[in-house]
Amino acid sequence: MFCSKKLILGSLFFLFSCGTADLRPPHLSYDKIDPELKKKGITVVTNPPIKELSPGDWKEYKQVQFILKDVWHNHFVRFFTPIKEQEIRMRVYLDFEADAMQVELLGGEKKGFIYGLEKKVTYQISPETGKAYSDDTEVRIYLESLRSYLTLPWRLKNYPIIQYAGQKQKLEQNYEVVYFTSVQMNATPDTDQYVGYFEQKSGALEWLEFTYRELFSFYQGVLKFGFYEPWNGKQYPRRITILDRFEDPDFVHELRIETIQIPVKPMEEVDKVLELPEKGK
């Protein structure tokens, strides 16, 4: 199975590796950062009309825990992840101090199983093996992408390159558009790019075009953020939808957040409650 996945990925890379995706708006084709456009872009991100939508700072919390359901509609992409079920609930524990994370499966055939990441090193915890370190690229990419999707709304303001890209209409809504990247303005095979669409009336981040160089230099997708709800004096999206394109009628997969918590102790040090009630029950 592992060899077949490597063969398919290798074939895809050969077919599409002719270029690097570039999300930079055409009118930002210059090499130097425009200080005025950076200032305006930061204002769009940090000073929305609805003040509760201004981004917080994850590092202030040190550790954060999400209870969510990961729902898959693209079976081909899920084939390259450690997730076997079309829908599965999980506990996602993020440690910003240690640059680490854990995902505990709350259902499915591997209920109670934990996938972990310490910087770039993966491990698994199960009753049969205890804590076992591994070099599993499939697990690492899934965990890193999961962490990225969950935290991006508050991390965009920290990018060194921020440029206001004007106003644009998408799907009959008006947006303020901001471009984010690091290192340099133009596209490189090692540097991700993001284009955020902030709804004009509220200031909410509703769409985010993104690249994922760790996966493929040519890859680009779209995140849809919705169902904003209060949390610790802020508004945070409770649904994050991953699509290939804006106009797609169906999604690749979707993160449906039930709760966001500040844990008292790391997951390994607390008694695990595997039978968490479904939201609304």
Side-chain angles (χ1 to χ4, degrees), residues 33-44:
I33 299 173
D34 185 314
E36 289 303 313
L37 292 182
K38 180 171 184 176
K39 182 179 178 181
K40 190 167 184 179
I42 291 174
T43 299
V44 170

Side-chain angles (χ1 to χ4, degrees), residues 137-153:
T137 302
E138 183 179 277
V139 170
R140 179 177 60 80
I141 289 178
Y142 175 74
L143 295 183
E144 288 180 338
S145 63
L146 186 64
R147 176 172 58 189
S148 180
Y149 299 154
L150 288 171
T151 60
L152 266 170

Side-chain angles (χ1 to χ4, degrees), residues 71-75 77-78 219 241-244 248 250-254:
V71 180
W72 287 84
H73 280 191
N74 189 312
H75 302 294
V77 176
R78 180 165 56 85
Y219 180 78
T241 307
I242 298 90
L243 307 107
D244 288 324
D248 282 356
D250 201 2
F251 55 79
V252 176
H253 73 126
E254 187 170 77

Side-chain angles (χ1 to χ4, degrees), residues 55-64 96 154 234 262:
D57 187 348
W58 287 120
K59 291 186 178 180
E60 288 183 4
Y61 299 101
K62 298 182 180 179
Q63 294 89 27
V64 173
F96 300 107
W154 283 8
K234 299 285 186 179
I262 301 174

Side-chain angles (χ1 to χ4, degrees), residues 112-124:
F113 199 90
I114 292 174
Y115 292 106
L117 186 67
E118 295 173 354
K119 293 184 169 60
K120 290 283 186 179
V121 180
T122 58
Y123 63 87
Q124 301 174 1

Side-chain angles (χ1 to χ4, degrees), residues 28 30 33-34 37-38 161-165 177-179 185:
L28 298 181
Y30 44 82
I33 299 173
D34 185 314
L37 292 182
K38 180 171 184 176
I161 297 176
I162 298 176
Q163 295 283 273
Y164 178 70
V177 183
V178 183
Y179 172 68
M185 281 284 291

Side-chain angles (χ1 to χ4, degrees), residues 66-172:
F66 297 82
I67 305 299
L68 60 87
K69 181 181 287 185
D70 191 2
V71 180
W72 287 84
H73 280 191
N74 189 312
H75 302 294
F76 178 76
V77 176
R78 180 165 56 85
F79 177 72
F80 298 100
T81 77
I83 302 303
K84 307 305 177 186
E85 290 80 12
Q86 184 173 341
E87 296 186 11
I88 189 164
R89 294 179 74 240
M90 58 182 65
R91 186 198 313 263
V92 181
Y93 175 91
L94 304 179
D95 189 326
F96 300 107
E97 285 190 317
D99 188 17
M101 68 179 294
Q102 291 183 341
V103 170
E104 178 185 4
L105 304 183
L106 301 176
E109 64 180 48
K110 288 189 173 182
K111 180 178 177 180
F113 199 90
I114 292 174
Y115 292 106
L117 186 67
E118 295 173 354
K119 293 184 169 60
K120 290 283 186 179
V121 180
T122 58
Y123 63 87
Q124 301 174 1
I125 302 176
S126 71
E128 293 77 19
T129 64
K131 186 174 182 178
Y133 286 91
S134 63
D135 183 19
D136 194 323
T137 302
E138 183 179 277
V139 170
R140 179 177 60 80
I141 289 178
Y142 175 74
L143 295 183
E144 288 180 338
S145 63
L146 186 64
R147 176 172 58 189
S148 180
Y149 299 154
L150 288 171
T151 60
L152 266 170
W154 283 8
R155 289 195 296 110
L156 290 173
K157 70 180 189 300
N158 299 324
Y159 274 83
I161 297 176
I162 298 176
Q163 295 283 273
Y164 178 70
Q167 299 178 350
K168 194 168 185 178
Q169 189 175 75
K170 280 282 186 184
L171 304 178
E172 301 182 357

